[in-house]
Amino acid sequence: MVAWCHGAPGIGLSRLRAWRHRRDEVLRDEIDVALETTVREGFGRNHSLCHGDFGNIDVLLVASTTFGDDTWAQRANRLAGAALDSARETGWMCGNPLGVESPGLMTGLAGIGYELLRLAAAERVPSVLALEEPRYRATGNWALYRRP
């Protein structure tokens, strides 16, 4: 399986999060292998956040923001378009037995919707899968949260 919960995408997310603390050639090579494996083998099973297309798309969005490289965001958008085309044809395939639609975050419609929000505004919506901190804080005016 090639999914956030098992395999290259989850490993890739962990390495992308480590990148801000340690930048070396070995870590970058592991990230590149994880991203390419995810793109090559991680799509078409279901649409869920946990072990489906939208969870794997999240890995590409995190790579895009981590490296400031729009190439990964463009790939994420193309793959999201394919997932949306698939959903138009077959309906949403959730990540539970038989792909039955369910409301849950990790295997259901809420997670699919969440990732669609990330695709629309990744700079405002943090990655749940990468355990990213909130991008906004409650100050009464919702000022942008910036880390020192």
Side-chain angles (χ1 to χ4, degrees):
M1 181 182 294
V2 177
W4 167 80
C5 60
H6 185 88
I11 293 167
L13 274 178
S14 72
R15 300 312 191 265
L16 285 161
R17 294 293 286 173
W19 182 256
R20 62 186 172 159
H21 303 290
R22 179 181 177 187
R23 297 177 182 204
D24 65 33
E25 188 176 319
V26 172
L27 188 58
R28 182 58 197 244
D29 288 345
E30 290 177 354
I31 291 169
D32 291 341
V33 168
L35 292 170
E36 291 301 331
T37 301
T38 299
V39 169
R40 187 177 61 248
E41 299 176 27
F43 293 90
R45 287 176 194 68
N46 67 72
H47 299 119
S48 76
L49 192 60
C50 182
H51 47 272
D53 293 351
F54 284 101
N56 290 345
I57 285 167
D58 194 64
V59 178
L60 306 181
L61 290 179
V62 172
S64 179
T65 57
T66 299
F67 297 128
D69 182 354
D70 270 351
T71 304
W72 290 112
Q74 291 167 4
R75 287 175 108 172
N77 281 314
R78 280 194 301 274
L79 289 161
L84 289 171
D85 288 344
S86 160
R88 274 189 215 102
E89 292 176 21
T90 65
W92 294 112
M93 294 183 297
C94 292
N96 50 41
L98 305 177
V100 176
E101 286 187 8
S102 63
L105 178 67
M106 295 307 289
T107 61
L109 298 173
I112 293 167
Y114 186 83
E115 195 61 27
L116 290 170
L117 287 173
R118 288 229 342 112
L119 282 158
E123 72 283 353
R124 296 180 65 185
V125 181
S127 170
V128 170
L129 299 182
L131 303 175
E132 289 181 342
E133 61 277 350
R135 304 278 168 82
Y136 288 81
R137 63 179 165 177
T139 61
N141 65 3
W142 293 92
L144 182 61
Y145 175 74
R146 297 189 193 281
R147 295 182 72 192

